[in-house]
Amino acid sequence: MLETCFATEMQGAARCKRFAETFLYTDDINITQAVTMQIFDMLMRLRNIAQNAIRIKDMPSCKKLTELSTEDAIAAATDLIKSDIVKGIAKSWLLGTKIKDAIEISDVRNYYNEQIKELRKELDEEQRGISPIEQFLMDKFNAEIGYCDIASVKTGIGAAKEIAGLVDIARRNIYKFEQQLDNMTLQINTPYYT
């Protein structure tokens, strides 16, 4: 089930797989009984993750804002939900426990910054190199931040001092990700599970 539904190169799925494999061939009934409850709990958590997962293609993005005219982008940027830039389940992920109803460019940017922070934390905890799927996700997250930065510049959101070099960095991150997409055989419809 882990290999079918999850990217086992990701730390969370790999950790679950290692845990289950550790007890795969035990013949001690006491260990089996204790571990059975732990594995059941793990499976319930994985089920919850799978039910709440967002497909990579459905993750929030400000790319659409970069493709609009400046006037339309400014109008859409004030509420990305009402302007149909961010839809469905991505809305609930972005809102989290926030009270406000509107999603702004900064919310999308913060979402991807948090994803990067979590991925780096996992890599640091394991003290290992980045796997191909993790590199893909890192590049996607950076590209999405790039779209947010370009949309912010386009709509006039943000301080002037932050703009210097921002667009160049954003374009480099977007270019890197789009080149990777062109060279990869990974299906974009693969769910992203942590």
Side-chain angles (χ1 to χ4, degrees):
M1 187 271 299
L2 279 169
E3 290 176 0
T4 303
C5 300
F6 292 85
T8 53
E9 304 86 27
M10 299 291 289
Q11 181 187 7
R15 192 181 308 132
C16 291
K17 185 177 175 184
R18 281 192 308 269
F19 177 76
E21 286 175 344
T22 301
F23 302 101
L24 190 61
Y25 299 107
T26 186
D27 57 359
D28 185 327
I29 191 70
N30 295 320
I31 291 174
T32 303
Q33 287 176 343
V35 170
T36 300
M37 291 308 296
Q38 291 174 323
I39 290 177
F40 178 76
D41 181 58
M42 178 184 70
L43 289 173
M44 291 300 100
R45 289 173 191 245
L46 291 172
R47 179 177 180 259
N48 189 44
I49 289 169
Q51 287 177 331
N52 294 311
I54 297 176
R55 290 185 180 277
I56 291 172
K57 71 177 185 115
D58 295 333
M59 293 176 100
S61 180
C62 287
K63 183 178 182 179
K64 213 173 184 183
L65 285 177
T66 67
E67 299 165 352
L68 297 174
S69 70
T70 302
E71 297 78 24
D72 290 343
I74 290 169
T78 57
D79 186 350
L80 300 181
I81 297 295
K82 287 182 183 167
S83 58
D84 231 14
I85 303 292
V86 174
K87 310 178 203 183
I89 195 165
K91 174 185 174 183
S92 63
W93 270 46
L94 286 171
L95 287 175
T97 59
K98 295 179 186 175
I99 296 170
K100 65 181 185 172
D101 292 324
I103 299 291
E104 300 170 358
I105 294 171
S106 62
D107 294 316
V108 177
R109 191 177 203 292
N110 291 339
Y111 169 80
Y112 285 109
N113 278 326
E114 283 299 312
Q115 297 301 312
I116 288 171
K117 189 169 111 181
E118 284 298 313
L119 187 52
R120 284 189 180 140
K121 180 181 166 191
E122 288 179 8
L123 293 171
D124 291 343
E125 284 176 1
E126 283 268 318
Q127 296 180 348
R128 62 179 174 81
I130 193 165
S131 71
I133 186 70
E134 291 166 330
Q135 185 62 58
F136 171 82
L137 291 171
M138 189 69 78
D139 291 342
K140 166 138 178 88
F141 301 157
N142 281 315
E144 292 297 342
I145 289 170
Y147 292 129
C148 292
D149 291 343
I150 291 172
S152 293
V153 169
K154 187 174 198 171
T155 59
I157 299 170
K161 67 178 182 178
E162 296 173 349
I163 293 174
L166 196 61
V167 173
D168 289 337
I169 293 168
R171 287 193 173 130
R172 278 196 302 270
N173 286 335
I174 291 166
Y175 178 78
K176 180 181 178 186
F177 177 68
E178 288 177 351
Q179 287 297 333
Q180 186 179 15
L181 277 181
D182 290 342
N183 297 329
M184 288 185 68
T185 57
L186 178 69
Q187 296 288 331
I188 297 302
N189 292 336
T190 302
Y192 162 58
Y193 304 114
T194 56

